[in-house]
Amino acid sequence: MFKPILITRGIVIFPSISDKLDVGRTKSLASIKVANNSEDKRIVLVSQKDPALDDPQFEDLYQVGTLCEITKVIQAEDGSLKVNLKSLKRIKLLDIDEKDGALYANFEPLKDTNANSTEISEKIRNLFNAISSDTSDMSAEDSKKLKAIFNGTKAYSNSKIVDNVASYLPISINKKQQILEEVDLSKRLDIVLSCCINSDQMLKVDREINKRINDTLSKQQKEFYLREKMRVVKEELGEISSKENDVNNLKKRVLNNPYPQHIKDRVISELNRIEAGNNPQESAINRSYVEWLLDLPWWQLSIDNSDLKAVEKTLNESHYGLEKVKERIIEYLAVKTRSPNSKAPIICLVGPPGVGKSTLAYSIAKALNKKFVKMSLGGVRDEAEIRGHRKTYIGSMPGRVIKAMKQAGVVNPLFLLDELDKMTSDMRGDPASALLEVLDIEQNSKFSDNYIEEDYDLSKVMFVATANYPDQIPTPLYDRLEIIELTSYTEREKLEIAKQYLIPKILKDSCIDTKELKFTDEGILHMIRHYTREAGVRELERLIRKIARKYVVKQQHKNIKTELVDKAVVLEDLKKEIFEYNTKDEKPLPGVVNGMAYTSAGGDLLPIEATFFPGKGNIVITGNLKETMKESASVALGYVKANAKKFGITNIDFSKIDIHIHVPSGGIPKDGPSAGVTLTTAIISALSKRIVPNTIAMTGEITLRGKVLIIGGVKEKVISAFRGGVNEIFIPKNDERYLEDVPTEVRNKIKFHLIEHYEEIYKAIFTK
C-alpha cells in the first residue's frame, strides 16, 4: 500500500489522537500537498531516529508509525504549513520512494493482539488508579479528558484507552516510540504502567531538586536557573548529557580558532540557547545554524600561483588559441602579485555554446592553483536560491552562494557563475537583483544571506561568469562585468583543437593506442566542413568518438591492426555528408557578387544575385531576408538611382523596370546591414551588364550618400571567403583594427581594400 509520508523530528502521534504540526522541509511540504489533494487525505507519519538529519533515508527512520488523516492545512507567511492531523491506526513501514519531489511510503497496517481478556481489564483498573493518584503535572483540560476516558463518558476500546494515556504522559520520545511499536496490548499496558509509576517518582525527585536549588540561589544566579536545574538532574541520575558534550566541543572549536569576533559572539549565544532549551525542534535548528557558521571559511586562504610563466604554460596546454582571454588572466595575476589586497575583478566570458567557456574557467582555477566552485544559474527564478531562507523553520538553509563557499573551504576560490543570461524571475523574487550584491565589488565585502544573518566577505573571491548572449544579461549586472568575448572557432582552430586535445582524449578514453588509429588533416577538415555546423567543437568530438567506436568494431570483425582516418574512411564511417559550404561560382556572370555572412557557426560566403525586367519600378527581394537586410537593399537601390549617370547606367528608365534581388539558401534566415555594398555592386553589375570577378568578395554597410560603415565578424567572414576561393576582399576602413584577428596564413594570401566611400569600390572593379 502506498501513501505520501511525512517524516517528523522527535514527534510521535498515537492512534485515535489529533494533533497539530508545523511543516517546513521541501519534501515534507510536497507530501502534504499530494495527500491534501487526494480523495481520502491520508498520509503516513513516521519519526526519524536522529532529529539533526536534514535529509533522512529509509534506514534513518523508525519502522513503526501511524496512518493519519489531514483535517486542516494553513499556509504560513514564511512558506511553511500548519497541519491538523487525526491519527487512525498503527502501520509498519516497508520502504520509501521519491517521486516529483514528494516522498511515498510502502506500508502495511498493524493489528493489536491480546486485546480483550480478564488480565487486560485488571491492568486497565491499575492504570486508572496510577493516573488518579497524581495528576498535578497535567493541565486541567488533560486531567478532565483522562477522567472522561476511564469513566466511560466516551466509548473507548482498551487499545484507545492505553494510547490516549500514553499520549498525555511526560515521557521521552524513545519511550513513546517503544509504546507505539508494541502490538501486544498486555505488554503495551505494562510499559505505560511503568511509565506512570516512574513519572510519579520523577515528580517527587523534581520537588527535592527544586528545594535544593531554591536554597542555594541568589539574586545574581536566577538567570541561570534552568541550567542549574539541568546540572542537578544529571547529578541525581548519574547521567552524562551527549548534548552538553557536543555544545562544549563546539564552544572549544569557536574559541580555539581565529573566527571574527562577531561570529564568536553569535555562536556562543546560540550554544547557550541550545543548552537552556528543551524543545528538540528548536535545538535542531540552532545546532544546524551553528554548524553552518563554523563550517564557513572566514580566514582560510589558498596560496595563488604567482609564477606567470607557469600559469601561461598551463593555459596553453589546456586551450588552443584564445590569446586575448589568456592575456587578460596574466594581467590579472600580475596586478594581484603586486597588490595582494586589490579587489578581484568580475570577468564574464561571452560566446556561443561549445566554445569552452566553462572549461576555460576551470583551467584558470587550475593555473592559478585556486579552489574551483560552480553555481549554475540556468532556470534559477527564486531569490532564495541566492540569498537563502529565513531561519524560522526546520529545513531552512543558506543560499547557493554560501553553500559554494562552504564547499570551497577558502575565502579566495574561483567562483564560476554559469549561464548568467538564463536566469528568470517570478512571484518568488528576482535572483538577478539578488546577484547585484555578489557581483558589485564595492558591496560584496558585506554580503548578507537571509539564513546566516551575518555579513560575509566575498571581496577576495575571483568571480568568473559565462553567458551565451550578452544582450540577455540583465543591465544592472552587465554594468558590473568585464566582458571578454569568445568567438566561434575557425576551421584551422577546430583542426588544431581536434589534433591536440580531442583525439588524444578520446583515444585514451577508448583505450586505443595512438599508433593504432591516426587521423589525417584531410579527414578532420572533411568532418568539420561537411558533418558539423557549430561555433564550438562538441559535435566534432561526438563524430571522432563515433569513428573510434567503429574502429574497435572493425578490429573485432575484420581483425585489422591499424587504420588511417582520411576522407574515404570518414565517408565510410559517417555515411552521407550533411552540410555544404558556399564557394565562388565557376564562371562570373553580370549581377552576381560575393558577399560574406557572419553566422553563429562561424562564417560563410554569401553570393547575391540581381536582375531586372520590364515592370513598373518595383523592387522584389527574396531569399528569407529580415527587415534590416531588406532596408539595405532599398538603400542600395536608392543610392544607385541617385548616381546612375556616374555609374554608367544611362539607358535605363527605372520607372519601367522591376529589379529582383535574391540571396540563395532561402531556408536560412538572413539579417544585418553589412550586405549594403554587395547589394549595390550587384545592382550596378546587373543594370550595366558588367561582370564582377568571382574571386572578389565584399562587406560593409552603405548609406544613401555612399559612405561605407563599420561591420562585425571580420575574422569569420574573411576566413569563410578564403575557404570559398576568394583572394581579394573589400572591407570598411574602420574594420582594419580587426584584421589582426585573422590567422596569418589567411591574411597573407588575400589582398585587402580598405574602403571609406563606395566610389572606391566602383573605381577598383568597374573602371578597369
Side-chain angles (χ1 to χ4, degrees), residues 61-94:
L61 308 178
Y62 288 109
Q63 304 305 300
V64 175
T66 53
L67 180 64
C68 301
E69 179 182 352
I70 297 175
T71 57
K72 189 176 182 180
V73 176
I74 300 174
Q75 178 82 41
E77 291 182 0
D78 59 0
S80 62
L81 297 177
K82 297 184 182 297
V83 184
N84 292 2
L85 296 171
K86 178 182 179 182
S87 182
L88 303 176
K89 56 186 175 182
R90 286 175 171 81
I91 59 94
K92 181 179 181 181
L93 192 65
L94 303 177

Side-chain angles (χ1 to χ4, degrees), residues 473-488:
I473 300 175
T475 303
L477 291 182
Y478 189 91
D479 187 51
R480 288 160 173 81
L481 302 173
E482 181 177 341
I483 303 296
I484 299 178
E485 290 194 13
L486 280 71
T487 57
S488 56

Side-chain angles (χ1 to χ4, degrees), residues 505-749:
K505 171 189 170 185
I506 291 168
L507 294 183
K508 182 180 178 181
D509 292 346
S510 305
C511 296
I512 300 174
D513 193 272
T514 53
K515 296 179 181 179
E516 295 180 71
L517 188 62
K518 295 183 178 180
F519 288 77
T520 65
D521 289 1
E522 177 197 29
I524 299 171
L525 285 172
H526 196 74
M527 281 190 282
I528 294 170
R529 291 173 178 173
H530 298 285
Y531 292 92
T532 66
R533 184 162 286 174
E534 56 179 343
V537 291
R538 286 178 181 163
E539 185 61 27
L540 179 60
E541 182 179 357
R542 295 187 192 103
L543 295 174
I544 295 172
R545 286 191 183 277
K546 185 175 182 179
I547 289 177
R549 293 195 301 269
K550 288 187 176 293
Y551 168 72
V552 176
V553 174
K554 289 176 187 176
Q555 275 191 322
Q556 305 271 344
H557 291 174
K558 299 180 181 179
N559 198 28
I560 63 172
K561 301 297 182 183
T562 61
E563 185 173 56
L564 185 66
V565 181
D566 55 13
K567 179 179 177 180
V569 174
V570 170
L571 289 170
E572 177 188 349
D573 288 350
L574 303 183
K575 307 306 179 189
K576 63 181 180 180
E577 298 169 344
I578 302 173
F579 302 109
E580 288 292 339
Y581 62 88
N582 290 327
T583 59
K584 65 181 180 64
D585 290 338
E586 291 296 325
K587 182 181 179 181
L589 297 170
V592 179
V593 182
N594 291 321
M596 295 182 289
Y598 173 57
T599 67
S600 60
D604 203 358
L605 205 61
L606 188 70
I608 293 180
E609 302 173 350
T611 187
F612 69 97
F613 42 83
K616 298 180 179 180
N618 297 323
I619 180 172
V620 180
I621 304 172
T622 56
N624 201 351
L625 309 186
K626 297 299 181 67
E627 285 303 317
T628 304
M629 199 162 179
K630 288 180 180 178
E631 289 173 358
S632 293
S634 298
V635 171
L637 180 57
Y639 175 65
V640 172
K641 285 181 178 181
N643 298 275
K645 187 175 181 180
K646 185 187 299 184
F647 296 147
I649 306 172
T650 57
N651 57 344
I652 297 293
D653 185 352
F654 287 97
S655 64
K656 295 182 179 179
I657 64 167
D658 286 347
I659 296 176
H660 189 164
I661 297 173
H662 176 68
V663 183
S665 301
I668 303 173
K670 307 167 191 73
D671 201 9
S674 60
V677 295
T678 314
L679 291 162
T680 304
T681 307
I683 293 171
I684 294 173
S685 174
L687 295 177
S688 63
K689 296 187 172 16
R690 286 175 284 182
I691 291 174
V692 178
N694 59 355
T695 56
I696 290 177
M698 60 189 68
T699 182
E701 181 179 356
I702 193 169
T703 70
L704 286 173
R705 294 173 293 160
K707 290 183 65 176
V708 180
L709 305 181
I710 190 171
I711 48 86
V714 173
K715 175 184 173 183
E716 290 78 6
K717 290 179 178 180
V718 171
I719 292 173
S720 65
F722 175 73
R723 180 187 62 195
V726 168
N727 57 26
E728 191 173 355
I729 295 178
F730 294 82
I731 65 171
K733 183 175 179 59
N734 288 333
D735 279 307
E736 182 180 8
R737 71 192 82 168
Y738 300 116
L739 288 180
E740 65 179 22
D741 298 335
V742 179
T744 305
E745 67 271 17
V746 175
R747 194 168 63 241
N748 291 340
K749 295 179 182 179

